[in-house]
Amino acid sequence: MMNLTPTEMDRLVIFTAAEMARRNRALGIRLSHPEAVALLTDEVMLAARRDMPYAEIRDMASQLLTTDDVEPGVAEMVAMIYIECHFAEGTKVMALFEPISRGPAPLLDDVVPGEIIGGEGDIAMFADQPVVVVDVVNTGDRDVQVRSHSHFFEVNRALQFDRGVTFGMKIDRPAGTGIRFEPGVVKAVRLVPIDGARIVMGQAGLVNGPLDAPGARERSLELARARGYRGA
């Protein structure tokens, strides 16, 4: 009987997928995204176990596959791979950037499968939404990052601003972005109303329900004051 750790089980899955990739490649079958990633990962992890130097492994990995070896669009999907490798001196993370190089054969077309092709012109965000601008200062001793999806009323209690006017608001920024507040620096922040069902759950736990429920703003402000939120 052999007991395997989760890490060892993952390694066996990678090896199995890599073996499938090697078989398909030997038969002239272009590799899919999982097959290409598995092959690159397996070869890099094996080279680390063989005590190859870090820089040599990275150079070797960049020569393993080209666009001729993979299905159209796979190279664009594999922009970066992080691989946790076991070296003699310990565990290190190997970062491969754009590991699938351009092959000699011409690409089939200029369209990448899964690519999002936007229309002409710019898209205005929150164009019809009312905007609130507040001055915010970080009274803490370290940077605070606030993401675009956050209910601004509930952000870090060390941020000083008029919390009452920010109830039900979020940063006027695209999804996935945010604003960093350095200690002692005043920043003017544009906010827009949270749209949709306007239900906020979790976050700092100051609302946990519909924003527009009767008395929700007053209850949230009272709770924020009791918990020491600046500007409440």
Side-chain angles (χ1 to χ4, degrees):
M1 184 175 179
M2 179 173 58
N3 294 320
L4 299 175
T5 66
T7 299
E8 291 166 334
M9 291 293 294
D10 290 342
R11 184 68 184 93
L12 286 177
V13 171
I14 292 170
F15 173 75
T16 302
E19 284 294 283
M20 179 182 294
R22 293 187 186 98
R23 182 201 63 185
N24 289 351
R25 189 184 183 192
L27 294 174
I29 302 173
R30 289 189 166 198
L31 304 184
S32 66
H33 174 270
E35 292 165 349
V37 172
L39 178 59
L40 290 166
T41 303
D42 183 68
E43 292 289 346
V44 166
M45 296 184 77
L46 177 60
R49 286 292 300 274
R50 292 173 59 199
D51 294 332
M52 283 180 60
Y54 188 98
E56 290 185 17
I57 298 176
R58 187 180 55 216
D59 293 341
M60 176 271 296
S62 67
Q63 302 174 40
L64 287 173
L65 295 175
T66 71
T67 50
D68 297 342
D69 300 311
V70 299
E71 293 283 358
V74 169
E76 289 79 8
M77 295 170 65
V78 189
M80 180 171 55
I81 305 177
Y82 284 110
I83 305 171
E84 194 174 79
C85 303
H86 301 292
F87 291 86
E89 64 271 24
T91 302
K92 295 182 181 179
V93 173
M94 174 76 64
L96 304 180
F97 298 95
E98 298 183 352
I100 303 176
S101 59
R102 181 75 175 265
L107 300 181
L108 296 180
D109 50 49
D110 295 330
V111 178
V112 177
E115 180 182 15
I116 298 175
I117 302 175
E120 296 292 333
D122 296 330
I123 299 175
M125 297 193 316
F126 315 124
D128 300 324
Q129 295 276 32
V131 174
V132 170
V133 180
V134 293
D135 289 334
V136 182
V137 60
N138 180 3
T139 66
D141 59 0
R142 64 196 66 191
D143 291 1
V144 173
Q145 179 86 7
V146 177
R147 309 302 292 175
S148 59
H149 67 277
S150 301
H151 181 205
F152 205 80
F153 174 85
E154 301 185 67
V155 297
N156 194 294
R157 70 189 69 199
L159 296 182
Q160 173 77 47
F161 58 92
D162 186 349
R163 292 192 184 255
V165 302
T166 68
F167 187 81
M169 311 289 282
K170 64 179 181 179
I171 296 174
D172 182 9
R173 289 286 181 89
T177 61
I179 299 178
R180 182 178 297 276
F181 298 93
E182 297 82 8
V185 179
V186 179
K187 286 189 176 180
V189 181
R190 286 172 53 91
L191 304 174
V192 293
I194 294 174
D195 213 342
R198 289 180 55 78
I199 297 175
V200 175
M201 303 297 295
Q203 305 214 19
L206 299 179
V207 181
N208 279 334
L211 290 165
D212 301 320
R217 179 178 179 276
E218 290 72 22
R219 286 193 299 270
S220 299
L221 275 169
E222 183 179 350
L223 188 56
R225 284 191 289 268
R227 294 182 180 179
Y229 281 79
R230 296 295 186 99

